[in-house]
């Protein structure tokens, strides 16, 4: 075997199987409704595209500093000041090839072999492999639907050992949409400081929040917790820029410097043109974001109402992000034409094969019995998809 043990230890994402299958069906001309996408369905706003075109025309097409251009770092600094009342300088900021890249870099800098990293479940699919690739150990902290998928502080305290290096926090959360309030975060911050661990705070969905919820960053409480937090953020979700590959991190200078070093020896700089576009995204008009969020909120209300009116299904109302995470566990154990639904993967397969609706099995997020549906698709698709799911569930016995 010539493949490294490191890579052999990483499982391919189960989401890929279903996405590939849905794609193949679509290619055959089958009308599949896709709820799998983890990205906004809107186009990147025009003023942002124009900034990229300007950068191209100005010949801004060469290497930049590995960790990003100063103008973009300054725009990021202004963003943290404006939105989170956080004071950073350039030594605290790194620009990377997406938020995911920031997560990867931070894991490489923070973790040594055997370090434990607490990941509350349901979790975003990439957290455990990113931890494993740094030779650290993901420790899953389960949360329940009853608590709105929020960590219990006592559970958190109990899960922390001498080997614990960090907690991964994701508010608003993908896949559950859970948002922590400021007072809940203050309790978590106290535990983090008491135990002397770090927080990797993935705040990529900061701007995609509903019902007037105000996002709170755990780093913003005081200097002590700020020195223990690496914020991971980016333009992908807020500005519908997933393909541009720009994310940014904010944290203690020594950690950011380490991340910069890794980046300098691996990817080098994120795309020069995308950096210029991202600067415009952060500094330019923000009303485009509000319009997108309003549309998401309408869809969310519809999807959640539909799920909660289906027999045997419950679905918490997400406070942020653009996913519904319904509980289908009462359908696990049922069957269709003699074929048993053993788990969320079987159910997702069934929904795809029979109802022609693509969803992502909860298993991928460490939550058996659930499915994730992205409502980043048109209202028309959503209505059709919900009808199909409701009908398909009734056909199980
Ligand atoms: C989309 C996403 C990211 C990062 O996306 P990038 O495109 O790499 O910036 C990070 N965390 C979560 C939870 C996400 O859903």
């Amino acid at each position: 075997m010539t493949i490294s043990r490191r890579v052999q230890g990483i499982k391919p994402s189960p989401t890929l199987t279903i996405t590939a299958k849905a794609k193949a069906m679509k290619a055959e001309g089958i009308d599949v409704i896709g709820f799998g996408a983890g990205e906004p369905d809107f186009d990147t706003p025009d003023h942002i595209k124009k900034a990229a075109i300007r950068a191209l025309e100005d010949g801004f097409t060469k290497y930049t500093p590995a960790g990003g251009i100063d103008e973009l770092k300054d725009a990021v600094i202004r963003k943290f000041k404006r939105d989170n009342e956080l004071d950073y300088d350039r030594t605290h900021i790194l620009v990377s090839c997406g938020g995911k890249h920031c997560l990867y870099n931070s894991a490489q800098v923070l973790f040594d072999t055997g370090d434990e990293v607490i990941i509350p479940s349901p979790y975003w699919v990439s957290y455990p492999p990113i931890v494993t690739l740094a030779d650290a150990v993901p420790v899953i902290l389960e949360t329940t639907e009853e608590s709105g998928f929020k960590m219990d502080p006592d559970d958190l305290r109990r899960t922390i050992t001498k080997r614990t290096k960090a907690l991964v926090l994701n508010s608003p959360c993908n896949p559950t949409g859970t948002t922590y309030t400021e007072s809940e975060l203050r309790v978590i911050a106290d535990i983090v400081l008491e135990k002397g661990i770090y927080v990797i705070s993935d705040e990529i969905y900061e701007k995609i929040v509903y019902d007037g919820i105000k996002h709170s960053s755990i780093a913003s409480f005081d200097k002590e917790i700020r020195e223990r937090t690496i914020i991971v953020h980016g333009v992908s979700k807020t500005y519908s820029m997933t393909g541009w590959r720009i994310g940014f991190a904010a944290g203690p200078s020594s950690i950011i410097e380490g991340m910069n070093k890794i980046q300098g020896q691996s990817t080098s700089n994120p795309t020069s043109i995308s950096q210029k576009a991202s600067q415009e995204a952060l500094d330019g008009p923000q009303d485009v974001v509000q319009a997108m969020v309003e549309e998401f909120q309408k869809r969310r209300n519809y999807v959640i109402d539909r799920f909660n009116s289906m027999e045997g299904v419950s679905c918490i109302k997400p406070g942020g992000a653009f996913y519904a995470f319904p509980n289908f566990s009462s359908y696990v154990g049922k069957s269709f034409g003699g074929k048993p639904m053993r788990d969320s993967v079987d159910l997702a397969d069934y929904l795809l094969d029979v109802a022609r609706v693509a969803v992502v099995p909860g298993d991928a997020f460490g939550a058996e019995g659930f499915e994730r549906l992205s409502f980043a698709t048109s209202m028309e698709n959503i209505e059709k998809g919900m009808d199909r799911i409701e009908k398909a569930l009734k056909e199980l016995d």
Side-chain angles (χ1 to χ4, degrees), residues 38-39 97-103 123-127 170 172-175 202-205 232-237 241-243 245-248 321-323 372:
E39 58 185 352
C97 312
K100 191 186 266 186
H101 190 208
C102 294
L103 287 164
Y123 48 73
W124 186 47
V125 287
S126 293
Y127 296 145
N170 178 209
C173 172
N174 173 5
D202 181 345
E203 303 181 18
I204 198 112
Y205 292 101
V232 171
H233 212 310
V235 296
S236 282
K237 309 294 159 62
M241 291 177 72
T242 46
R245 308 312 303 132
I246 297 290
F248 44 88
F322 38 70
Y323 310 98
R372 190 194 77 176

